[in-house]
Amino acid sequence: MKRYNPSDIEPKWQSFWADQKTFVADNNSPRQKFYISAMFPYPSGAGMHTGHAFEHAIVDAIARFQRAHGKNVLNPMGWDTFGLPAENYAIKTGTAPAEVTKVNIANFKNQLNRLGASIDWSREINTTDPEYYRWTQWIFARFFERGLAYQKESLQWWCPVDKTVLANEQVESGKCWRCGTEVVKKSMNQWFFKITDYADALLDEIPDLDWPAKIKTAQTNWIGKSVGAEIEFTVDGVDAVITVFSTRPDTLFGATFLVLAPEHPLAKQLAANKFKQNVEEYIADAVKKSEIERMSDNKEKTGVFTGSYAINPANGEKMQVWIADYVLSGYGTGAIMAVPAHDERDFAFAEKYHLPVVEVIDKPDDEPGVYRGEGVLMNSGVFDGRSSSDIREEIAAWLEEEKIGRPKVTFKMRDWLISRQRYWGAPIPIIHCQTHGAVAVPDDQLPVVLPEIADYAPKGDGKSVLAGISGWVNTTCPTCGEPAKRETDTMDGYACSSWYLLRYTDPNNSNQAWDPVITNAWSPVDYYVGGDHAVAHLLYVRFWTHVFNDMGLTEFKEPVKKLVYHGYINAEDGSKMSKSKGNTIDPLEVIDQGYGADALRTYLLFMGPIELDAPWDSRGIAGIYRFLNRVWVLNQEYLEAEKSFTTNDDAVRRLQHKTIRKVTEDHHRLSFNTAISALMEYVNELYKFKVDGFSDDVWCDALGTLARLLAPFAPHMTAEIWQQLGNSSSIEEAGWPQWDSALIVSDTLTIIVQVNGKLRAKLTVAADTTADDVKQQAIDEPNVVKFLENKEPAKVIYIPGRLVSIVV
RNA sequence: GGGCGAGUGGCGGAAUCGGUAGACGCGCUAGACUCAAAAUCUGGUUCACAUUAGUGAGUGGGGGUUCAAGUCCCCCCUUGCCCACCA
């Protein structure tokens, strides 16, 4: 008998798939398209980790399942290769980032092939390839033309170690997402994408996305839409107006003081002479404080009185104007009207500095603390007695009429800071001319190729190292031909990953970023599989696709129909795997230990629901190997058996069709762990039937079905078995087995009998037994009689085919 | 502080529409094979009492709805993740 030895089988089929181009997707197929993609990886030097293996086990199970259903499957692969690790490695070793990247890609690609991933390698893309970033730059130029890319001097997050600015999304709890260093604020002239123009459009589509609720909620909160009003307050005796934003204009009569952020442009100007020193000290102190410090003492609010007063336009009252760092400069107008009676933060501040509190909404008696809810207005002049929620728009309209305010919608989301002062990124295709300002590099001069250099280390002067290469920087203005200088910042890597899903559909097009006909046909992505990013990438890719749609470059607005989100594989003790802790599992080592890729893939999907985190269990994979070995042995025994007698054919057939149904349904809901357990039960049962003997055609069908159902998880072994069973075409062409409901129906049923909700007996009855007969049989069961205690049942409920519930 | 999840054997988990709780696997355990071990195969495995059938308890805790609740409702506890002074 041939032993199950994955190291014999797996290379054979991997070569077969490559030679046959089995997984090359056809743009012109008449079959229904199915586009699936993993989030493309950054190919680090460490190679693939268990998370990648898990992700590709998921993608591949879905891709092979859909292929078996006759779909024209597109499962492409590419590399997100710009970024800090390659550049930092280059700084350390002097090796060109492009060289390191090349080696890492080759390694990663080999590893994916050893997993048996059904990838169309003819569409491989690489974001650092000039033929790719040429089009990233082309898109930048289009954004620039439309005013969606612009330059602005402003305070930005700066990482002192990586010596670059960071986007808001790349700052986690006041620290750099890459190196963990505390970031600082620095005023710099930077490039932005105007994602805020699309805030409403992006928000509107969220309910219709087939994405996990937590991601949809995260994006909704990140966009952070607030509907309210801007209100202008004149300052008493000073020629200045303070504009605030409030979601509760209905509480205007309760506004008793104003608070400005320390960075507010009027902050210093409003300081009256005898308060000037206090104010300036406070502002200097607040600006100096890092974000971490500001957050850590957020329990105790601090502030300083300016000495100025503003007038409440609703009631003419004088209000003190304060400066405090609990007001954020980047949100709304950087100034608020404080309503201490109905806002906890304002209340805490008012209490500390003995500022007046005026209640304007009648609060329910049983409500403790500061009342933030809706209610009936009081102390509000003509609005007394009205409901706060009804009056909100009316007050905003009144403000507009009086020219002291207007209805206003504000978003938490800021524009996307795109420029980086680093070498290893796509150069921003802009030329700065004395006369014409920023001018886009003409399309026929793209790509602006990243020059090769010797020293990659940033100088910390706020510019990328490209600024030091005069031969590259100095050029001529495309508009007037006079000497001009190139932009020396590069684009954040998130730019490159914001359109790669479109490029996959037409990856080798050298005339345009994509051919709309081809791209519209494949898009949107049907399943996008990943376990990382909630906002950043998943918001940017939506933003770009919306813009492309507005530009007429695509017919679709949303790039991803269904987002499949998976959990993490943890170390055996349940902690996170990390290189520094030395508790990582190398998936390639697992394959090489003799378990093979099929066992690895099947195990990763058997561990639990894909969305949950689960700890790696080295004994668990041994159990899966045992299962695959049982499948193998069963087939070998069949192939070598005397095929002479037959029993239990109906039972085998019923089992087979039941299993097809179960596994198919589980696939549709991505419940791979239960699909695999159903296949285990199938195999366990087949072993029991095997004792009774073989009937050639019934068993050939049963085992061929097993191979096809198992193929999305263990493609190599099942390809081999399929061939051994005498099929002339490969299992990838075999299609998905169908079930026949008529064959699943059994002629006997097991009925549960409950007395007062407790299980007391089980009945086996013929499927055509009438309801009354089943009820009577249930009542006559000895163990039921015992619990009836000679009484008549008060109620007998029969759920057909399932149970009888007797109430005494 | 806010938002969203999750709590089921020794472990990972199953129960898809309110209908046999613990499928499947790991581990443990008894046996077969073996000189022995590994591998493999067969059986057992929620807990307690009885062990032949059975009885009682049981899905974080407490209440409720129902013939019937892991599943629905209310309160509480624990825990994970995300956002965190967004006016």
Side-chain angles (χ1 to χ4, degrees):
Chain A
M1 187 192 290
K2 263 182 82 182
R3 259 186 70 235
Y4 173 47
N5 185 1
S7 61
D8 291 342
I9 299 168
E10 294 182 354
K12 168 184 163 184
W13 290 99
Q14 286 158 13
S15 310
F16 175 85
W17 295 325
D19 294 346
Q20 300 290 313
K21 301 190 179 351
T22 310
F23 305 118
V24 172
D26 179 2
N27 283 351
N28 301 309
S29 167
R31 290 176 296 148
Q32 194 189 342
K33 69 98 181 178
F34 185 85
Y35 182 5
I36 181 168
S37 180
M39 290 180 185
F40 71 165
Y42 179 87
S44 75
M48 187 189 278
H49 54 70
T50 42
H52 292 118
F54 182 38
E55 186 160 306
H56 284 280
I58 294 166
V59 168
D60 218 56
I62 298 169
R64 287 176 185 269
F65 177 75
Q66 293 292 342
R67 164 178 292 278
H69 279 77
K71 300 273 181 67
N72 183 30
V73 173
L74 171 56
N75 177 21
M77 193 62 207
W79 314 102
D80 186 18
T81 35
F82 276 130
L84 281 178
E87 186 177 333
N88 288 338
Y89 184 79
I91 293 166
K92 219 168 21 179
T93 64
T95 324
E99 289 306 307
V100 181
T101 302
K102 220 164 109 182
V103 172
N104 292 349
I105 286 175
N107 180 37
F108 222 100
K109 186 173 175 179
N110 174 51
Q111 295 183 328
L112 279 170
N113 279 327
R114 292 210 48 207
L115 272 183
S118 62
I119 289 166
D120 177 358
W121 287 109
S122 74
R123 293 171 185 260
E124 183 177 355
I125 57 177
N126 171 357
T127 58
T128 52
D129 180 349
E131 274 308 299
Y132 181 89
Y133 69 71
R134 170 186 182 180
W135 300 112
T136 311
Q137 292 172 334
W138 179 85
I139 293 165
F140 184 97
R142 299 291 83 72
F143 275 50
F144 181 66
E145 279 169 9
R146 297 175 71 89
L148 290 172
Y150 67 94
Q151 224 176 349
K152 190 179 81 176
E153 174 85 26
S154 67
L155 277 180
Q156 291 308 332
W157 297 122
W158 171 264
C159 172
V161 168
D162 288 330
K163 297 190 174 66
T164 183
V165 294
L166 298 169
N168 287 329
E169 293 85 335
Q170 294 167 335
V171 177
E172 294 165 354
S173 314
K175 293 182 175 173
C176 171
W177 69 324
R178 279 292 171 247
C179 64
T181 311
E182 258 185 54
V183 296
V184 295
K185 280 256 161 115
K186 195 166 173 173
S187 187
M188 300 177 76
N189 199 25
Q190 295 293 319
W191 285 94
F192 293 86
F193 285 137
K194 213 167 180 185
I195 191 171
T196 50
D197 271 11
Y198 282 77
D200 257 321
L202 292 169
L203 195 60
D204 286 347
E205 297 292 331
I206 289 175
D208 297 331
L209 296 173
D210 184 8
W211 288 22
K214 66 170 183 173
I215 306 293
K216 300 209 296 190
T217 311
Q219 293 211 352
T220 305
N221 293 341
W222 184 266
I223 294 170
K225 182 174 182 171
S226 293
V227 178
E230 276 184 358
I231 307 169
E232 290 171 1
F233 291 80
T234 53
V235 183
D236 196 26
V238 183
D239 184 19
V241 171
I242 299 169
T243 306
V244 308
F245 171 74
S246 173
T247 53
R248 296 295 300 271
D250 49 295
T251 62
L252 180 56
F253 285 83
T256 52
F257 57 100
L258 296 185
V259 189
L260 309 185
E263 295 88 353
H264 195 282
L266 289 175
K268 282 181 191 169
Q269 190 192 325
L270 290 180
N273 279 339
K274 70 178 205 190
F275 297 96
K276 216 162 205 103
Q277 197 184 341
N278 272 351
V279 168
E280 282 174 6
E281 276 172 14
Y282 183 81
I283 293 174
D285 206 35
V287 171
K288 201 174 66 200
K289 262 199 258 178
S290 72
E291 198 67 4
I292 295 214
E293 283 170 309
R294 271 210 201 180
M295 282 191 296
S296 65
D297 29 80
N298 71 15
K299 289 196 180 70
E300 182 73 2
K301 295 201 186 334
T302 61
V304 62
F305 179 44
T306 60
S308 290
Y309 290 84
I311 306 298
N312 188 328
N315 53 18
E317 299 274 339
K318 279 175 83 176
M319 313 158 76
Q320 294 190 353
V321 178
W322 284 68
I323 292 166
D325 67 3
Y326 84 92
V327 174
L328 306 174
S329 64
Y331 181 75
T333 61
I336 61 155
M337 64 176 205
V339 185
H342 304 292
D343 183 286
E344 284 117 341
R345 296 156 302 183
D346 297 344
F347 183 79
F349 195 80
E351 208 172 34
K352 178 167 175 185
Y353 294 107
H354 311 292
L355 293 158
V357 178
V358 177
E359 282 191 44
V360 291
I361 292 173
D362 199 12
K363 95 176 184 187
D365 293 340
D366 52 349
E367 196 74 30
V370 175
Y371 183 62
R372 302 197 321 171
E374 308 286 354
V376 175
L377 266 68
M378 54 200 236
N379 300 325
S380 296
V382 297
F383 298 109
D384 277 0
R386 305 283 303 277
S387 130
S388 58
S389 53
D390 291 350
I391 210 70
R392 202 129 56 220
E393 282 176 29
E394 213 174 299
I395 290 192
W398 171 74
L399 289 166
E400 195 161 36
E401 221 167 89
E402 299 289 319
K403 300 203 182 347
I404 49 166
R406 62 207 64 84
K408 173 83 179 174
V409 172
T410 297
F411 297 93
K412 282 190 207 173
M413 183 169 67
R414 314 293 147 80
D415 277 339
W416 169 13
L417 171 57
I418 184 67
S419 44
R420 297 290 180 274
Q421 291 69 50
R422 298 293 304 221
Y423 167 75
W424 192 232
I428 291 176
I430 292 288
I431 293 168
H432 297 281
C433 168
Q434 286 266 321
T435 317
H436 297 97
V439 180
V441 175
D443 292 351
D444 60 8
Q445 291 173 31
L446 295 178
V448 176
V449 177
L450 194 57
E452 286 182 26
I453 58 171
D455 181 11
Y456 303 96
K459 305 288 172 282
D461 55 0
K463 292 178 181 161
S464 89
V465 288
L466 293 174
I469 309 165
S470 56
W472 184 82
V473 171
N474 292 309
T475 181
T476 52
C477 171
T479 308
C480 63
E482 293 297 313
K485 286 185 188 300
R486 284 191 193 281
E487 170 63 55
T488 58
D489 282 357
T490 55
M491 279 185 251
D492 177 20
Y494 276 133
C496 307
S497 57
S498 292
W499 72 285
Y500 78 108
L501 292 167
L502 276 64
R503 184 67 178 176
Y504 274 148
T505 62
D506 190 16
N508 302 312
N509 196 327
S510 51
N511 301 314
Q512 50 190 337
W514 60 84
D515 178 339
V517 175
I518 297 173
T519 301
N520 285 331
W522 279 114
S523 302
V525 176
D526 293 278
Y527 282 50
Y528 192 36
V529 183
D532 202 4
H533 307 293
V535 279
H537 164 62
L538 289 172
L539 196 58
Y540 296 152
V541 71
R542 294 185 57 220
F543 164 49
W544 279 38
T545 311
H546 274 249
V547 176
F548 299 150
N549 181 253
D550 282 353
M551 290 167 69
L553 294 172
T554 64
E555 287 174 356
F556 53 95
K557 269 192 199 171
E558 287 292 335
V560 173
K561 207 185 282 178
K562 184 181 176 74
L563 178 66
V564 179
Y565 219 66
H566 62 76
Y568 292 99
I569 309 297
N570 289 328
E572 299 225 20
D573 62 1
S575 65
K576 287 248 174 293
M577 279 193 198
S578 81
K579 262 190 123 179
S580 55
K581 276 191 268 178
N583 59 359
T584 54
I585 300 290
D586 179 352
L588 272 296
E589 250 172 54
V590 173
I591 293 175
D592 289 334
Q593 275 162 18
Y595 290 120
D598 284 342
L600 173 66
R601 296 165 51 128
T602 310
Y603 173 61
L604 287 168
L605 296 178
F606 181 65
M607 291 170 79
I610 57 172
E611 66 273 15
L612 294 187
D613 295 351
W616 178 266
D617 180 356
S618 52
R619 289 181 298 206
I621 188 162
I624 289 290
Y625 178 84
R626 238 180 333 255
F627 162 64
L628 294 182
N629 188 51
R630 273 163 71 79
V631 174
W632 180 262
V633 168
L634 185 62
N635 275 279
Q636 302 311 313
E637 286 183 358
Y638 163 73
L639 291 167
E640 292 164 19
E642 297 293 323
K643 306 156 192 166
S644 54
F645 52 89
T646 157
T647 53
N648 266 327
D649 283 1
D650 288 347
V652 171
R653 230 183 259 116
R654 188 179 314 124
L655 177 67
Q656 176 186 329
H657 284 258
K658 248 167 86 174
T659 305
I660 296 170
R661 183 175 67 184
K662 171 71 177 156
V663 172
T664 307
E665 287 172 353
D666 283 352
H667 255 287
H668 281 299
R669 57 188 184 105
L670 306 182
S671 180
F672 302 122
N673 56 331
T674 53
I676 294 165
S677 83
L679 288 166
M680 289 173 169
E681 286 180 76
Y682 183 44
V683 172
N684 291 343
E685 292 296 317
L686 285 179
Y687 263 92
K688 285 175 193 162
F689 285 127
K690 185 194 67 156
V691 177
D692 293 325
F694 289 145
S695 163
D696 194 29
D697 51 344
V698 170
W699 273 78
C700 188
D701 193 30
L703 293 173
T705 296
L706 173 60
R708 287 186 291 164
L709 293 178
L710 189 55
F713 309 125
H716 308 87
M717 184 185 80
T718 50
E720 183 72 19
I721 287 173
W722 187 251
Q723 192 179 51
Q724 290 175 350
L725 287 172
N727 295 288
S728 51
S729 64
S730 71
I731 195 166
E732 291 78 31
E733 311 304 323
W736 193 252
Q738 302 298 307
W739 75 87
D740 181 347
S741 302
L743 292 176
I744 296 173
V745 177
S746 168
D747 44 9
T748 59
L749 298 172
T750 301
I751 304 291
I752 300 310
V753 184
Q754 294 180 344
V755 179
N756 289 339
K758 283 198 179 349
L759 174 69
R760 293 303 177 197
K762 293 178 189 181
L763 288 177
T764 302
V765 298
D768 55 3
T769 314
T770 65
D772 286 344
D773 283 353
V774 174
K775 285 184 188 174
Q776 195 54 52
Q777 283 188 47
I779 291 164
D780 293 342
E781 274 292 304
N783 203 43
V784 172
V785 171
K786 198 167 102 193
F787 282 93
L788 284 177
E789 294 168 344
N790 296 324
K791 280 178 244 158
E792 274 299 302
K795 209 169 172 187
V796 180
I797 298 160
Y798 176 51
I799 309 295
R802 285 182 168 270
L803 65 80
V804 176
S805 185
I806 300 168
V807 188
V808 183

